[in-house]
Every structure is written in C-alpha cells, then in structure tokens.
Amino acid sequence: MRYFKLTIAYDGTDFHGWQVQSSKPTIQGEIADVLGRLTQERVALHGAGRTDAGVHALGQVASFKTQSPLSAGEFQRALNALLPETIRILDAEEVGPTFHARWSARGKTYRYRIYRGKVVPPMIWRYVLHYPFPLDENAMKDGVARFVGVHDFASFAASTGSEDEDHVRSTEREIFSAELVRSANDEELVFTVSGRSFLRFMVRKMVGSLLEIGRGKLTPDDIDRLYELKDRSKAGPTAPAQGLVMVTVWHDEGWRGEP
C-alpha cells in the first residue's frame, strides 16, 4: 500500500462544501471520483477540514492510500487534467503510512475579506463580503485581540445537528494569532486567524460578531462575556461564506523520518 498527500486550492462557489453529499457536487466527491477512475479502486479521501458550501481554499490538504503504481507527479497531472478548473492540485507527495490529513494536522489559518468600497470589482465579488457602511475599525481590532488564547467558543459555533453530540463535544479551542488589517490597496478589511482547530461556522461567527462591534451593537468586552454565556444566539450572525478561505494547514511531519 502507498500513501499520498495532496495540497488543494478551490473556488467553493459552485460546490456544496468539502464533504461528499449524495447528488450534490462537493470538492471531496469530485476528487475521489477522479482518483477512483485513475486507480480503479474505491479511494477514501480524507481532508484536513470540512469547508462549508461556498467557502474557498488556497491550501486544503487531503490524504489517501492506494495500490496504484502512479507516481505523485502523475497523480497531480492526471487530477488537474480531469478535475473542473475550479479545483487545482497544487502539490502531490508520497508520504509514510502514519500521515493523515486530519489527524496529523497541527493548525490551520483562515482569512476573511470584507470589501469596503462602494462598488465591488467583478473579478473579486465571489471572494469578499461587501460592506461599504460605517464601521468602528479600532473597536473591531480590540475585539480581535480577545480571540487569542484558549477559550470556550460555544457562542461562536453552529450546532452539529444532534443535541446529544452538542452536549458531549468540547467547544474549547486555542487561537494562536488573530489580526484585522487593511489590505495593501486600502479597500478591504482582512481578518486572519490561526488555531489548532475550529468549530463549525466558528470563523464566520467570529466575523459576524466583529461586524456587530463595528456597528456598535456589541462592544469588545462582549467577546469575553460571550465565552461565559456559551449561547450562540447572543453572538453576531454567521457571516456569508464567500468571504472565507482556508489559507493553509500545517502538519506533524514526523512521518518523514531523519534527513
């Protein structure tokens, strides 16, 4: 058996998220289907994270195992030839049997873009939230600083859809870094956050809460209050999917062994 790691970029606009769904196009489904055609096997493709419908990626990571004799380079070329142009395999690498895209992951970085100009250029409308109205950006930056560290993010997470699972799951997460800056052209607010792992809709709820701070409907101190409340109805709304991109995933590279 051989083991492979894929680094993937995609435009999530026309897909129903990462995870396979019956009769709906998904990123995982498209790639697994092509891998099945290439290997003549039923390939189990594991992603580092499950991006939601409409969310994009610059550095999603996936892993699979196969008995195929194809090299990593041949997999990359064949996948890019057969996949939709909205999904690209940036890199393919043969790895050891201990590597797993999800379980070997040590952290992820996400970015959310808010376009502040009056008119969104047509080249980027799929990738930004358009918000041209007044915002207190200094207050928002104060709120961003409250995210860093280990906190209970229950107020910033969507339900799993199961009351039993919601009751037993841990909602404590560690955020390594978070920042809100103006883009180089000064037309966008860009929120970048890195952490060990994230709950469903967590980044989008964080952005929604920051926007509420910018509008004056919440204060930066309310971020700390929300950790205590553990009530997602008290946080800001879930920001639209199109502004969010999974930037990168970093992994435990122990499978490489000694150089």
Side-chain angles (χ1 to χ4, degrees):
M1 193 65 68
R2 301 168 68 212
Y3 302 83
F4 290 88
K5 171 187 175 184
L6 302 177
T7 303
I8 310 159
Y10 49 84
D11 179 333
T13 307
D14 300 323
F15 296 94
H16 291 263
W18 166 266
Q19 190 175 13
V20 168
Q21 299 182 43
S22 59
S23 72
K24 292 182 179 179
T26 67
I27 308 298
Q28 184 185 39
E30 294 283 344
I31 299 173
D33 179 67
V34 174
L35 285 173
R37 291 157 59 188
L38 294 173
T39 63
Q40 296 300 300
E41 301 167 4
R42 186 170 182 174
V43 175
L45 182 70
H46 302 283
R50 299 175 180 178
T51 53
D52 299 308
V55 175
H56 317 291
L58 294 174
Q60 170 73 283
V61 173
S63 57
F64 68 95
K65 59 183 179 180
T66 178
Q67 295 184 19
S68 169
L70 291 175
S71 69
E74 288 170 329
F75 271 120
Q76 182 182 14
R77 289 190 292 273
L79 285 163
N80 282 335
L82 297 172
L83 284 167
E85 292 184 348
T86 47
I87 305 174
R88 294 291 88 183
I89 308 302
L90 303 180
D91 188 46
E93 183 177 3
E94 188 163 1
V95 295
T98 61
F99 180 86
H100 189 283
R102 181 178 180 186
W103 304 123
S104 299
R106 292 294 172 263
K108 303 181 181 75
T109 297
Y110 287 91
R111 182 177 299 142
Y112 197 98
R113 296 166 63 189
I114 303 168
Y115 191 80
R116 303 287 287 129
K118 290 184 178 180
V119 180
V120 179
M123 294 76 70
I124 66 169
W125 72 270
R126 289 173 175 256
Y127 313 113
V128 299
L129 168 65
H130 186 207
Y131 195 87
F133 310 107
L135 289 171
D136 184 341
E137 295 181 14
N138 287 329
M140 292 171 72
K141 290 178 181 179
D142 189 354
V144 167
R146 314 296 180 98
F147 290 137
V148 178
V150 178
H151 305 289
D152 190 323
F153 282 90
S155 292
F156 300 90
S159 170
T160 63
S162 165
E163 289 188 11
D164 290 339
E165 287 187 31
D166 285 346
H167 182 71
V168 300
R169 71 171 173 168
S170 171
T171 50
E172 187 175 276
R173 293 292 186 272
E174 180 179 7
I175 298 301
F176 304 143
S177 64
E179 67 172 4
L180 183 71
V181 299
R182 279 278 184 163
S183 62
N185 61 13
D186 204 39
E187 293 180 334
E188 296 180 25
L189 270 180
V190 182
F191 174 58
T192 305
V193 59
S194 297
R196 174 69 177 82
S197 62
F198 294 83
L199 298 161
R200 185 170 183 242
F201 289 177
M202 179 172 152
V203 178
R204 291 165 61 191
K205 289 283 282 184
M206 293 164 81
V207 172
S209 298
L210 290 174
L211 286 169
E212 292 294 84
I213 291 172
R215 296 174 183 126
K217 295 183 178 180
L218 292 174
T219 70
D221 289 340
D222 284 325
I223 299 296
D224 299 313
R225 184 176 62 87
L226 287 165
Y227 295 141
E228 299 297 326
L229 288 175
K230 302 180 184 179
D231 183 350
R232 58 180 174 271
S233 70
K234 304 298 184 183
T238 303
Q242 78 268 16
L244 183 61
V245 60
M246 176 190 282
V247 178
T248 190
V249 183
W250 60 95
H251 288 84
D252 179 354
E253 300 284 323
W255 52 268
R256 293 183 184 276
E258 295 297 326

